[in-house]
Amino acid sequence: MHVQEWLETVPAVSIYALVGLVIGLESLGIPLPGEIVLVSSALLASQHGDINPVVLGACATAGAIIGDSIGYAIGRKGGRPLLAWLGGRFPRHFSEGHIATAERSFEKWGMWAVFFGRFVALLRIFAGPLAGVLRMPYWKFLTANVLGGILWAGGTTAVIYYVGVVAESWLKRFSWLGLVAAVLFGVASMLILKRKAKKAQAEAPATAEPVPAAE
């Protein structure tokens, strides 16, 4: 699916709403490609003047913070039965191994697991609901949620936007040679990230400890 090509056919206001909604639902605990939509939208903003990167970043940030907060409330009310239900509906994302890994992160880092979890695909889905299930004090959760949401959503928008502006100018200077170099760089980066992700996924089950069932 060519996300950026599809976004080019959508009005700017709809893109703002779409980014906020997708990121909000992902933060709430629904497995959606929030990061892909955000990166594609920020890159599109760098090439089209009718999309304001500041408004885009603000919508993404609001979606991240609000979605995480709703996920926290749902997790606090639903408890562990909610995780079991999510595991049945989304076994690929809410498997027992993934939940155990996320819980270990919360036990080790506390509120900072919410903050840093914003930058990790798996924890980004888990952070809100799991913080509620584990009954993290709301003020700690909200602090980490707001800081993480601003830095991740706003920072990602800013970085991708300026990289897109610089890349477009650079490609105009070097024509096809620059395009080939950019493609090679992109492919190499993707392969490196996939290799690291695969290694981390392989190591997670080996280090995961069984989580005792709640009495």
Side-chain angles (χ1 to χ4, degrees):
M1 178 179 178
H2 300 287
V3 178
Q4 188 175 352
E5 292 180 4
W6 179 76
L7 288 174
E8 290 178 353
T9 66
V10 180
V13 175
S14 299
I15 290 179
Y16 301 146
L18 175 67
V19 169
L21 179 62
V22 172
I23 290 178
L25 291 175
E26 181 190 39
S27 302
L28 190 153
I30 300 176
L32 290 175
E35 192 168 36
I36 294 176
V37 171
L38 177 59
V39 169
S40 299
S41 300
L43 187 59
L44 186 64
S46 70
Q47 301 169 3
H48 297 273
D50 55 338
I51 301 176
N52 190 321
V54 176
V55 176
L56 181 66
C59 291
T61 301
I65 295 173
I66 294 173
D68 245 12
S69 297
I70 295 175
Y72 174 90
I74 294 175
R76 192 174 180 88
K77 184 176 182 179
R80 291 192 176 276
L82 173 65
L83 296 180
W85 180 83
L86 289 172
R89 297 297 297 272
F90 306 104
R92 180 179 177 183
H93 298 86
F94 290 90
S95 66
E96 292 183 5
H98 286 168
I99 293 175
T101 300
E103 282 191 308
R104 289 202 328 278
S105 299
F106 271 73
E107 291 172 1
K108 183 176 181 180
W109 301 105
M111 63 181 286
W112 295 110
V114 177
F115 176 83
F116 290 111
R118 178 58 61 183
F119 302 87
V120 181
L122 178 62
L123 286 180
R124 188 161 55 246
I125 300 173
F126 275 115
L130 190 55
V133 170
L134 298 179
R135 296 191 174 276
M136 175 183 292
Y138 184 69
W139 71 267
K140 289 186 176 182
F141 168 79
L142 183 61
T143 301
N145 179 27
V146 171
L147 293 177
I150 292 174
L151 189 58
W152 174 75
T156 299
T157 301
V159 170
I160 297 300
Y161 175 79
Y162 285 111
V163 166
V165 170
V166 172
E168 185 178 16
S169 175
W170 188 74
L171 289 176
K172 286 181 179 178
R173 291 184 181 183
F174 295 94
S175 186
W176 65 270
L177 183 61
L179 179 61
V180 171
V183 170
L184 291 177
F185 177 78
V187 171
S189 301
M190 181 186 66
L191 291 176
I192 292 173
L193 290 175
K194 286 185 67 176
R195 183 178 179 182
K196 288 185 177 181
K198 186 176 181 180
K199 182 179 179 181
Q201 185 177 7
E203 291 177 350
T207 57
E209 297 177 359
V211 179
E215 297 181 358

